[in-house]
């Protein structure tokens, strides 16, 4: 009887340890399944985000391509219109009129009327008008360059500040030579 009790106790403890091991195994499997489920849900979420971002990127690239195509076609139309305007201006001189509301940006693109070359201008007047046009074109290019590159604006501003500072230093520290009444300037040519 005692032997049977010890055997039953031993079997009971073995069954309990096996049960505990199985419970630990089941818990590990549950954790793995949960982590896989969480990982798969985050993967699904990441895939949907990636898919939506890809679709947005494709849509934006399509928009950029269509806008660049429109820009190029408008640039070609503008060039054609400018050529036609130049041809019309070259063929028939027309009297200048004050810019109206229909002109829009046109007055800014054309030089003032008094600086446009005419067949009745003399050679000096033509040179002056060409020089003005050249200076105007250079200043417009410089303005576009400074507008496009902000670091160049900073360098130009810094240069101007340093130049003004240097001029102020020279003006405030320079003292002209002061000579008394008894000073006679030596002449290189003696008087007869």
């Amino acid at each position: 009887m005692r032997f049977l009790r010890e055997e039953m106790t031993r079997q009971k403890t073995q069954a309990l340890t096996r049960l505990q091991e199985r419970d630990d195994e089941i818990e590990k499997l549950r954790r793995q399944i949960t982590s896989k489920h969480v990982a798969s849900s985050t993967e699904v979420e990441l895939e949907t985000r990636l898919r939506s971002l890809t679709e947005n990127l494709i849509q934006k690239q399509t928009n950029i391509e269509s806008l660049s195509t429109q820009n190029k076609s408008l640039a070609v139309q503008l060039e054609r219109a400018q050529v036609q305007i130049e041809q019309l201006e070259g063929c028939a001189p027309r009297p200048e009129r004050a810019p109206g509301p229909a002109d829009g940006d046109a007055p800014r693109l054309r030089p003032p009327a008094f600086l446009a070359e005419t067949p009745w201008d003399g050679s000096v007047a033509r040179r002056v008008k060409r020089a003005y046009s050249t200076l105007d074109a250079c200043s417009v290019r410089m303005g576009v360059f400074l507008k496009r590159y902000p670091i160049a604006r900073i360098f130009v501003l810094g240069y101007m500040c340093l130049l003004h500072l240097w001029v102020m230093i020279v003006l405030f520290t320079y003292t002209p030579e002061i000579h008394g009444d008894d000073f006679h300037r030596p002449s290189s040519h003696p008087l007869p």
Side-chain angles (χ1 to χ4, degrees):
M1 187 80 148
R2 191 169 153 197
F3 177 72
L4 285 173
R5 281 185 187 165
E6 286 176 6
E7 187 64 32
M8 282 285 270
T9 309
R10 191 173 53 79
Q11 285 179 358
K12 188 177 179 183
T13 56
Q14 284 178 354
L16 286 174
T17 56
R18 278 194 219 145
L19 184 63
Q20 185 65 32
E21 289 174 0
R22 297 289 161 92
D23 283 343
D24 290 342
E25 245 183 82
I26 289 172
E27 189 62 34
K28 284 180 186 176
L29 290 174
R30 280 184 185 161
R31 279 190 236 134
Q32 286 178 356
I33 289 173
T34 309
S35 66
K36 283 184 181 179
H37 180 41
V38 169
S40 66
S41 68
T42 56
E43 286 178 9
V44 168
E45 182 181 321
L46 289 175
E47 285 179 16
T48 56
R49 285 184 65 197
L50 180 65
R51 198 174 302 126
S52 68
L53 288 174
T54 306
E55 289 173 0
N56 284 341
L57 179 64
I58 291 171
Q59 182 181 7
K60 288 181 181 182
Q61 284 178 342
T62 306
N63 288 342
I64 288 172
E65 288 174 2
S66 66
L67 288 174
S68 65
T69 305
Q70 288 176 355
N71 188 17
K72 288 177 183 176
S73 68
L74 288 174
V76 169
Q77 288 177 1
L78 178 65
E79 287 177 15
R80 286 181 189 161
Q82 286 176 345
V83 168
Q84 288 176 353
I85 288 172
E86 288 174 4
Q87 289 174 350
L88 290 175
E89 285 179 351
C91 291
R94 54 189 167 99
E96 293 292 326
R97 60 180 176 87
D103 288 343
D105 292 339
R108 284 191 279 168
L109 297 176
R110 278 189 250 139
F114 67 91
L115 289 171
E117 287 188 37
T118 62
W120 301 282
D121 287 339
S123 63
V124 175
R126 285 185 183 161
R127 285 188 205 145
V128 169
K129 289 179 180 182
R130 286 181 189 150
Y132 169 79
S133 298
T134 304
L135 284 174
D136 187 47
C138 288
S139 66
V140 167
R141 285 188 197 124
M142 180 62 78
V144 168
F145 177 78
L146 290 175
K147 185 177 181 182
R148 214 175 265 166
Y149 300 104
I151 194 78
R153 287 190 297 233
I154 292 171
F155 282 126
V156 168
L157 184 66
Y159 172 75
M160 290 172 59
C161 290
L162 285 175
L163 183 66
H164 282 82
L165 180 68
W166 178 251
V167 168
M168 295 303 282
I169 289 171
V170 168
L171 283 176
F172 286 125
T173 59
Y174 175 73
T175 54
E177 288 185 30
I178 299 176
H179 302 290
D181 292 336
D182 60 343
F183 178 74
H184 296 287
R185 189 177 303 192
S187 62
S188 59
H189 302 291
L191 294 174

